[in-house]
Coordinates of all heavy atoms in Angstrom, one line a residue:
A664 N 155.8 49.3 245.8 CA 156.7 50.0 246.6 C 156.8 51.5 246.1 O 156.7 51.7 245.0 CB 158.1 49.4 246.8
P665 N 157.1 52.4 247.0 CA 157.3 53.8 246.5 C 158.3 54.0 245.3 O 159.3 53.4 245.4 CB 157.8 54.6 247.7 CG 157.2 53.9 248.9 CD 157.3 52.4 248.5
G666 N 157.9 54.6 244.3 CA 158.6 54.8 243.2 C 158.8 53.7 242.2 O 159.7 53.7 241.2
R667 N 158.1 52.6 242.5 CA 158.3 51.4 241.7 C 156.9 51.0 241.0 O 155.9 51.6 241.4 CB 158.7 50.2 242.6 CG 160.1 50.5 243.3 CD 160.5 49.2 244.1 NE 161.7 49.7 244.8 CZ 162.8 49.5 244.5 NH1 163.1 49.0 243.1 NH2 163.9 49.7 245.1
E668 N 157.0 50.2 240.0 CA 155.7 49.7 239.4 C 155.0 48.7 240.2 O 155.6 48.0 241.0 CB 156.2 49.1 237.9 CG 156.8 50.2 237.0 CD 157.0 49.5 235.6 OE1 156.9 48.3 235.7 OE2 157.4 50.2 234.7
R669 N 153.7 48.7 239.9 CA 152.9 47.6 240.6 C 153.3 46.2 240.2 O 153.4 46.0 238.8 CB 151.5 47.9 240.4 CG 150.7 47.0 241.3 CD 149.1 47.5 241.3 NE 149.1 48.9 241.9 CZ 148.0 49.6 242.2 NH1 146.8 49.0 242.0 NH2 148.1 50.6 242.9
E670 N 153.5 45.3 241.0 CA 154.2 44.1 240.8 C 153.2 43.0 241.0 O 152.7 42.8 242.2 CB 155.5 43.8 241.6 CG 156.1 42.5 241.5 CD 157.3 42.3 242.5 OE1 157.3 43.2 243.4 OE2 158.0 41.4 242.3
F671 N 153.1 42.0 240.1 CA 152.3 40.8 240.2 C 152.9 39.9 241.3 O 154.2 39.6 241.1 CB 152.0 40.1 238.9 CG 151.5 38.7 239.0 CD1 150.1 38.6 239.3 CD2 152.1 37.6 238.9 CE1 149.5 37.3 239.6 CE2 151.7 36.4 239.1 CZ 150.3 36.3 239.3
L672 N 152.1 39.3 242.2 CA 152.5 38.4 243.1 C 152.1 36.9 242.9 O 152.7 36.0 242.8 CB 152.3 38.9 244.6 CG 152.9 40.1 244.9 CD1 152.5 40.5 246.2 CD2 154.4 40.1 244.9
A673 N 150.8 37.0 242.9 CA 150.0 35.6 242.8 C 148.6 35.7 242.4 O 148.0 36.8 242.4 CB 150.0 35.0 244.3
A674 N 148.1 34.8 241.8 CA 146.7 34.6 241.5 C 146.0 33.4 241.7 O 146.7 32.3 241.7 CB 146.6 35.0 239.9
I675 N 144.9 33.3 241.6 CA 144.0 32.0 241.9 C 142.8 32.1 241.1 O 142.0 33.0 240.8 CB 143.8 31.8 243.4 CG1 143.2 30.4 243.7 CG2 142.8 32.8 243.9 CD1 143.2 30.1 245.2
S676 N 142.6 30.9 240.5 CA 141.2 30.8 239.6 C 140.1 30.9 240.5 O 140.1 30.8 241.7 CB 141.4 29.4 238.8 OG 141.4 28.3 239.6
W677 N 138.9 31.0 239.7 CA 137.7 31.2 240.4 C 137.3 30.1 241.4 O 136.7 30.5 242.4 CB 136.6 31.4 239.4 CG 136.3 30.1 238.6 CD1 136.9 29.7 237.5 CD2 135.2 29.2 239.0 NE1 136.2 28.5 237.1 CE2 135.2 28.3 238.0 CE3 134.3 29.0 239.9 CZ2 134.5 27.1 238.0 CZ3 133.5 28.1 240.1 CH2 133.5 27.0 239.0
N678 N 137.6 28.8 241.1 CA 137.3 27.8 242.0 C 138.4 27.3 242.9 O 138.4 26.4 243.6 CB 136.7 26.7 241.2 CG 137.7 26.0 240.3 OD1 138.8 26.6 240.1 ND2 137.3 25.1 239.6
G679 N 139.6 28.1 242.8 CA 140.7 27.7 243.6 C 141.5 26.6 242.9 O 142.5 26.1 243.5
G680 N 141.2 26.1 241.8 CA 141.7 25.0 241.2 C 143.1 25.3 240.7 O 144.0 24.2 240.6
R681 N 143.5 26.4 240.3 CA 144.8 26.7 239.7 C 145.4 28.0 240.6 O 144.6 28.8 240.7 CB 144.8 26.9 238.3 CG 144.4 25.8 237.4 CD 144.9 25.9 236.0 NE 146.3 26.0 235.9 CZ 147.0 26.1 234.8 NH1 146.4 26.4 233.7 NH2 148.3 26.1 235.0
T682 N 146.7 27.9 240.8 CA 147.4 29.1 241.4 C 148.6 29.5 240.5 O 149.2 28.6 239.9 CB 147.8 28.8 242.9 OG1 148.5 27.7 242.9 CG2 146.5 28.7 243.7
Y683 N 149.0 30.7 240.6 CA 150.1 31.2 239.9 C 150.9 32.1 240.8 O 150.4 32.8 241.6 CB 149.7 32.1 238.7 CG 148.5 31.4 237.7 CD1 147.3 31.3 238.2 CD2 149.0 30.7 236.6 CE1 146.4 30.7 237.4 CE2 148.1 30.1 235.7 CZ 146.8 30.1 236.3 OH 145.8 29.3 235.5
Y684 N 152.3 32.0 240.6 CA 153.2 32.9 241.4 C 154.2 33.5 240.7 O 154.8 32.8 239.7 CB 153.8 32.0 242.5 CG 152.8 31.4 243.5 CD1 152.1 30.1 243.3 CD2 152.2 32.2 244.6 CE1 151.3 29.5 244.1 CE2 151.5 31.6 245.4 CZ 150.9 30.3 245.2 OH 150.0 29.8 246.2
A685 N 154.6 34.7 241.0 CA 155.7 35.4 240.5 C 157.0 34.6 241.0 O 157.0 34.1 242.1 CB 155.8 36.8 240.9
D686 N 158.2 34.6 240.3 CA 159.3 34.0 240.6 C 159.8 34.6 242.0 O 160.5 33.8 242.8 CB 160.4 34.2 239.6 CG 160.2 33.4 238.4 OD1 159.3 32.4 238.4 OD2 160.7 33.6 237.4
S687 N 159.5 35.8 242.2 CA 160.1 36.5 243.4 C 159.5 35.9 244.7 O 160.2 36.1 245.7 CB 159.9 37.9 243.4 OG 158.5 38.3 243.2
V688 N 158.4 35.3 244.6 CA 157.7 34.8 245.7 C 157.3 33.4 245.8 O 156.9 32.8 246.8 CB 156.3 35.6 246.1 CG1 156.4 37.1 246.1 CG2 155.3 35.2 245.0
T689 N 157.7 32.6 244.7 CA 157.4 31.2 244.8 C 158.2 30.5 245.9 O 159.4 30.7 246.1 CB 157.9 30.6 243.4 OG1 157.1 31.2 242.3 CG2 157.8 29.1 243.3
G690 N 157.4 29.7 246.6 CA 158.0 28.9 247.8 C 157.8 29.6 249.0 O 158.1 29.1 250.0
R691 N 157.6 31.0 249.0 CA 157.4 31.7 250.2 C 156.0 32.2 250.5 O 155.5 32.2 251.5 CB 158.3 33.0 250.2 CG 159.8 32.7 250.1 CD 160.6 34.0 250.3 NE 160.4 35.0 249.2 CZ 160.0 36.2 249.6 NH1 159.8 36.6 250.8 NH2 159.8 37.1 248.6
F692 N 155.3 32.5 249.4 CA 153.9 33.0 249.6 C 152.9 31.9 249.0 O 153.2 31.2 248.1 CB 153.7 34.3 248.7 CG 154.5 35.4 249.1 CD1 155.4 35.5 250.1 CD2 154.1 36.7 248.5 CE1 156.0 36.6 250.6 CE2 154.8 37.8 249.0 CZ 155.7 37.8 250.1
T693 N 151.9 31.9 249.5 CA 150.7 31.0 249.1 C 149.4 31.7 249.1 O 148.9 32.4 250.0 CB 150.7 29.8 250.2 OG1 151.8 29.2 250.3 CG2 149.5 28.8 249.6
I694 N 148.7 31.5 247.8 CA 147.5 32.3 247.7 C 146.4 31.2 247.9 O 146.5 30.0 247.6 CB 147.3 33.0 246.5 CG1 145.9 33.7 246.3 CG2 147.4 32.0 245.3 CD1 145.8 34.6 245.1
S695 N 145.2 31.6 248.5 CA 144.0 30.6 248.7 C 142.8 31.4 248.8 O 142.9 32.7 248.9 CB 144.3 29.8 249.9 OG 144.4 30.6 251.1
R696 N 141.8 30.8 248.7 CA 140.4 31.5 248.8 C 139.5 30.7 249.5 O 139.4 29.4 249.5 CB 140.0 31.9 247.4 CG 139.5 30.8 246.5 CD 139.4 31.4 245.0 NE 138.3 32.3 244.9 CZ 138.2 33.2 243.9 NH1 139.0 33.1 242.8 NH2 137.3 34.0 243.9
D697 N 138.4 31.4 250.0 CA 137.3 30.7 250.6 C 136.1 31.4 249.9 O 135.6 32.4 250.5 CB 137.3 30.8 252.1 CG 136.1 30.1 252.9 OD1 135.2 29.7 252.2 OD2 136.3 29.9 254.1
N698 N 135.5 30.8 249.0 CA 134.4 31.5 248.4 C 133.2 31.6 249.1 O 132.4 32.6 249.0 CB 134.1 30.7 247.0 CG 135.0 31.0 246.0 OD1 136.0 31.9 246.0 ND2 135.1 30.0 244.9
A699 N 132.9 30.7 250.2 CA 131.8 30.8 251.1 C 131.9 32.1 251.9 O 130.8 32.5 252.4 CB 131.7 29.5 251.9
K700 N 133.2 32.5 252.1 CA 133.3 33.9 252.8 C 133.6 35.0 252.0 O 134.0 36.0 252.6 CB 134.3 33.6 253.9 CG 134.0 32.6 254.9 CD 135.0 32.3 256.0 CE 134.6 31.3 257.0 NZ 135.6 31.1 258.0
N701 N 133.6 34.9 250.7 CA 133.9 35.8 249.8 C 135.4 36.5 250.1 O 135.6 37.7 250.1 CB 133.0 37.0 249.8 CG 131.7 36.6 249.3 OD1 131.5 35.6 248.5 ND2 130.6 37.2 249.8
T702 N 136.3 35.6 250.4 CA 137.6 36.0 250.9 C 138.8 35.3 250.1 O 138.7 34.1 249.9 CB 137.7 35.7 252.4 OG1 136.8 36.5 253.0 CG2 139.1 36.2 252.9
V703 N 139.8 36.1 249.9 CA 141.1 35.5 249.2 C 142.2 35.9 250.3 O 142.2 36.9 250.9 CB 141.4 36.1 247.9 CG1 141.6 37.6 247.9 CG2 142.5 35.3 247.3
F704 N 143.1 35.1 250.4 CA 144.2 35.1 251.4 C 145.6 35.1 250.6 O 145.7 34.5 249.6 CB 144.1 33.9 252.4 CG 142.9 33.8 253.0 CD1 142.0 32.9 252.7 CD2 142.5 34.5 254.2 CE1 140.7 32.8 253.2 CE2 141.4 34.4 254.9 CZ 140.4 33.5 254.3
L705 N 146.5 35.8 251.3 CA 147.9 35.6 250.8 C 148.7 35.4 252.2 O 149.0 36.2 253.0 CB 148.4 36.9 250.2 CG 149.7 36.7 249.6 CD1 149.9 35.8 248.4 CD2 150.3 38.1 249.1
Q706 N 149.2 34.1 252.3 CA 150.1 33.7 253.3 C 151.5 34.0 252.9 O 152.0 33.6 251.9 CB 149.8 32.2 253.7 CG 150.9 31.8 254.7 CD 150.6 32.4 256.1 OE1 149.4 32.4 256.5 NE2 151.7 32.9 256.7
M707 N 152.2 34.9 253.7 CA 153.5 35.4 253.3 C 154.6 34.9 254.5 O 154.3 35.2 255.6 CB 153.6 36.8 253.1 CG 152.7 37.4 252.3 SD 152.8 39.1 251.9 CE 152.5 39.9 253.6
N708 N 155.5 34.0 254.1 CA 156.5 33.4 254.9 C 157.9 33.9 254.5 O 158.1 34.3 253.3 CB 156.3 31.8 254.9 CG 155.1 31.5 255.4 OD1 154.4 32.0 256.3 ND2 154.6 30.3 254.9
S709 N 158.7 33.7 255.4 CA 160.2 34.1 255.1 C 160.3 35.4 254.4 O 160.9 35.6 253.3 CB 160.8 33.0 254.1 OG 160.7 31.8 254.8
L710 N 159.7 36.4 255.1 CA 159.6 37.8 254.6 C 161.1 38.5 254.5 O 161.8 38.3 255.5 CB 158.7 38.7 255.3 CG 157.2 38.4 255.0 CD1 156.3 38.9 256.1 CD2 156.8 38.9 253.7
K711 N 161.3 39.2 253.4 CA 162.5 40.0 253.4 C 162.3 41.4 253.4 O 161.2 41.9 253.1 CB 163.1 39.6 251.9 CG 163.3 38.1 251.8 CD 163.8 37.8 250.4 CE 163.9 36.3 250.0 NZ 164.3 36.0 248.6

């Protein structure tokens, strides 16, 4: 956000086997990936 530091939200391992979330988004955001399409996603729910 303007005037703020860059903030980690979520990460996913190369094969999708492990995911990680910042406390601020746990339970609201979901990271996933489709390696066949070279794409990573972030589903964001209950936005504030």
